[in-house]
Amino acid sequence: MSILAIHPGAYYHIETLEAPRYAHYFDRLVRPEDLSGEDLAEHAVVFIPCRTPADRLAPHADQFRAYLDQGGTIVATGETALEVFLHGITFTPQPTNWWWWLTPGADLGVRIASPDHSLFGRLGERDLTWHLHGWFDPPDGSQVLAINGEGKPIFYVDEVTTPGRMIITSLDPCFHHGSHFMPATTRFLDGFLPWMREELDGAPRK
């Protein structure tokens, strides 16, 4: 199988999806406008990078749902208004404190909620901690991977809404990595993308 990444074309998407550090984790790149000509079923994973404009993905909502109904996996990252084009997403935005770490002893409050999950053999809490943009209300039966300081989910796996799998987070690592701002985001991608390749790039779930 393979991993398809949607490529909106901003500088931070180019740095994440095309630069040598991570390019080998993606087998195919496609612009949102070209998705209608793509057979998503050929891919084990569809990766949606953060800050992809939702209006460019909304026309493909039925295509995404059909892919999930066939057992596919969608990985979708933050600041993308996921609820516009994916089923079962309930998101509450929050004001972002961009400079919280300047306060001595500050703690953003991000915690790993499922420490036995295989992803956390590669990532620790520091690698998930940079900014918060909001939280989700995952469907019953989802596995919450990480929470904010109020215990609200910011990262989860949904295998109940469809026959497929959605890995959803409000974190926005591609933007900050591609902007060369926030080393934690690069550490996140250093752990997450190999995990995605090794753990998710198999036959679609049935």
Side-chain angles (χ1 to χ4, degrees):
M1 296 296 288
S2 67
I3 295 175
L4 169 74
I6 295 172
H7 194 337
Y11 70 89
Y12 43 88
H13 299 128
I14 293 170
E15 180 67 21
T16 301
L17 301 175
E18 297 185 35
R21 189 181 188 111
Y22 301 133
H24 57 287
Y25 292 115
F26 308 104
D27 300 290
R28 182 165 173 76
L29 308 177
V30 61
R31 295 174 68 246
E33 290 76 16
D34 295 332
L35 274 167
S36 58
E38 195 74 27
D39 182 3
L40 299 185
E42 294 181 352
H43 307 287
V45 179
V46 172
F47 179 79
I48 301 174
C50 45
R51 299 179 187 252
T52 299
D55 62 340
R56 298 175 67 186
L57 295 175
H60 309 288
D62 290 343
Q63 186 180 10
F64 291 135
R65 181 57 188 258
Y67 171 68
L68 290 164
D69 285 345
Q70 295 167 8
T73 294
I74 289 178
V75 175
T77 51
E79 293 293 87
T80 307
L82 305 176
E83 65 277 8
V84 171
F85 55 88
L86 293 177
H87 288 74
I89 306 289
T90 302
F91 179 70
T92 300
Q94 70 178 74
T96 298
N97 181 353
W98 300 100
W99 308 109
W100 61 272
W101 64 87
L102 297 179
T103 301
D107 180 358
L108 187 61
V110 172
R111 297 291 183 267
I112 291 171
S114 296
D116 293 335
H117 192 277
S118 60
L119 177 60
F120 298 119
R122 299 177 181 271
L123 295 176
E125 286 176 355
R126 290 180 62 252
D127 309 323
L128 279 69
T129 300
W130 57 90
H131 293 138
L132 293 172
H133 295 286
W135 66 87
F136 299 96
D137 183 12
D140 290 344
S142 300
Q143 183 177 16
V144 175
L145 301 183
I147 56 176
N148 66 14
E150 289 70 49
K152 304 288 189 180
I154 61 170
F155 196 0
Y156 70 97
V157 181
D158 178 356
E159 296 180 313
V160 296
T161 297
T162 73
R165 170 174 47 198
M166 292 186 287
I167 299 174
I168 303 294
T169 184
S170 58
L171 299 173
D172 57 345
C174 304
F175 170 73
H176 289 290
H177 167 76
S179 301
H180 306 285
F181 174 55
M182 291 291 174
T185 62
T186 300
R187 296 197 307 267
F188 177 91
L189 291 171
D190 282 349
F192 183 83
L193 294 179
W195 174 84
M196 181 176 71
R197 169 63 79 187
E198 294 176 17
E199 297 289 331
L200 305 183
D201 184 22
R205 298 178 64 251
K206 299 295 185 182

